[in-house]
Amino acid sequence: MPPTDPKHSLLSKDDEGSRFLFGDFGEINSSAPPRPDLPPFQTTHEHRRFAEFADAVRTHRYIGLCWGPPGVGKTLSARHYSGVDDWEQWESLFTDTLGPVPERVLEARTAFFTPTVMATPKQIDQSLPRACQRISFAVDFAEHGIVDPYVHTESRSSGRTELLIIDEADRLKATGFEQVRDYFDHHHMGVILIGMPGIEKRLARYPQLYSRIGFAHEYRQLSADELTAVLARRLPAEGDATDGGVAHATAIATIVRITAGNFRLVDRLLTQIERVQTVNNLNELTPEVVEAARQALLIGH
């Protein structure tokens, strides 16, 4: 396939790029592009609680600890707060195609970092300043149109980054936690560690890091009432239902009971519901459809 944009192509004339098929190349981007069929982010009570917690950590420049069971929306909230999706859509290898820095990135001034499963001390040492410095440079770029740390010295050493969020903090070993503490000590920014329940007890083994935790936040599952309201927006009832919407309301209640406020399980169940409706050429949402969809999932409770 010939290059569609010769200005930015890596291929020369008559080069088909077949070496990329069989060469030892890694992935170009650090993360996959977002799924186009994902519903828009919904601001829930738990997300508002997380945002207040993050604002407090960022303002007072402490270490904050957030934990909660899997699938409740911790990562989604953190990514939305820091504007990660906007950043990933904005960043480009080619500076002449850059538009304005996303507004959310400028508002949050928050770096987002996820250690790999086998993150080495060297990778952590390099990744933390890299994630924070680029946010600081982005603020310079938005204000001055250029990035020159020798002229705009405030952005040196991530000086304009106000918060660092570390997701999947459970992956860090003792050395990794010590590296985070050392990075926190040498910078004037807040740090949030996000992990699974139990991380708060694990960190108690590291008294130097533990003593710097100024805020703790437990991310809880959605309440039944709020999940019902969220589902009502995503699955609106048909206006001309012959039973007055009783079956639809019962189906919503069934979804709430099955998922117990777990966002990830809600998405999986809704995908199966859509499949069942498509296969059976159904438009209505009924408890029978929900039950058929549930049988295709491994729920665990």
Side-chain angles (χ1 to χ4, degrees):
M1 178 179 175
T4 55
D5 185 358
K7 182 180 178 183
H8 292 150
S9 176
L10 297 175
L11 308 182
S12 58
K13 186 179 180 181
D14 299 327
D15 183 356
E16 297 178 342
S18 55
R19 61 185 179 282
F20 291 106
L21 294 173
F22 309 108
D24 188 17
F25 300 101
E27 294 182 339
I28 302 299
N29 296 322
S30 57
S31 58
R35 282 170 44 192
D37 57 342
L38 281 179
F41 183 83
Q42 301 202 12
T43 301
T44 62
H45 176 65
E46 282 304 312
H47 173 70
R48 288 194 292 273
R49 287 182 65 237
F50 176 84
E52 291 169 3
F53 157 73
D55 285 342
V57 174
R58 177 180 159 191
T59 300
H60 298 284
R61 311 296 169 100
Y62 271 104
I63 291 180
L65 179 62
C66 172
W67 70 92
V72 295
K74 303 184 298 296
T75 299
L76 282 177
S77 278
R79 288 177 64 90
H80 186 74
Y81 179 88
S82 53
V84 173
D85 290 339
D86 292 342
W87 174 276
E88 291 177 350
Q89 293 293 312
W90 173 75
E91 68 176 347
S92 169
L93 292 174
F94 310 109
T95 55
D96 58 340
T97 61
L98 281 178
V101 180
E103 186 177 346
R104 182 56 209 161
V105 173
L106 297 176
E107 289 174 356
R109 300 195 178 193
T110 298
F112 186 85
F113 170 65
T114 304
T116 59
V117 176
M118 300 297 289
T120 64
K122 181 179 179 181
Q123 288 172 330
I124 295 172
D125 260 346
Q126 294 174 341
S127 299
L128 292 182
R130 185 179 301 155
C132 295
Q133 184 66 81
R134 64 180 188 172
I135 296 297
S136 198
F137 282 157
V139 176
D140 265 4
F141 186 73
E143 291 185 359
H144 308 294
I146 60 170
V147 178
D148 188 341
Y150 291 96
V151 176
H152 308 116
T153 56
E154 193 181 3
S155 60
R156 289 185 185 178
S157 302
S158 308
R160 310 196 73 179
T161 304
E162 298 178 356
L163 179 64
L164 166 64
I165 296 179
I166 301 178
D167 194 21
E168 305 284 2
D170 307 87
R171 294 175 177 174
L172 296 175
K173 308 285 190 302
T175 305
F177 284 123
E178 184 62 16
Q179 287 174 285
V180 171
R181 182 186 70 84
D182 183 69
Y183 189 81
F184 170 77
D185 284 349
H186 288 88
H187 294 79
H188 187 54
M189 69 175 72
V191 175
I192 290 178
L193 299 167
I194 299 178
M196 296 284 289
I199 190 173
E200 72 277 14
K201 298 175 183 174
R202 185 183 165 201
L203 290 187
R205 304 173 195 162
Y206 312 112
Q208 287 184 306
L209 175 64
Y210 201 70
S211 64
R212 287 164 171 79
I213 297 176
F215 297 90
H217 175 76
E218 181 179 5
Y219 205 107
R220 299 176 301 210
Q221 296 171 326
L222 280 184
S223 66
D225 290 342
E226 190 167 23
L227 181 55
T228 301
V230 170
L231 289 172
R233 287 198 296 269
R234 289 186 61 174
L235 302 170
E238 299 288 339
D240 55 351
T242 56
D243 63 350
V246 173
H248 185 276
T250 307
I252 294 289
T254 305
I255 295 174
V256 171
R257 176 178 54 79
I258 292 173
T259 58
N262 187 301
F263 255 129
R264 188 173 298 150
L265 185 53
V266 169
D267 276 336
R268 289 165 55 204
L269 186 59
L270 293 185
T271 300
Q272 290 295 336
I273 289 173
E274 184 178 350
R275 184 186 67 81
V276 171
Q277 289 178 315
T278 301
V279 169
N280 295 280
N281 196 25
L282 297 172
N283 293 322
E284 297 80 12
L285 179 65
T286 64
E288 292 76 17
V289 170
V290 176
E291 183 61 27
R294 190 197 68 80
Q295 292 176 3
L297 293 177
L298 292 174
I299 294 179
H301 65 264

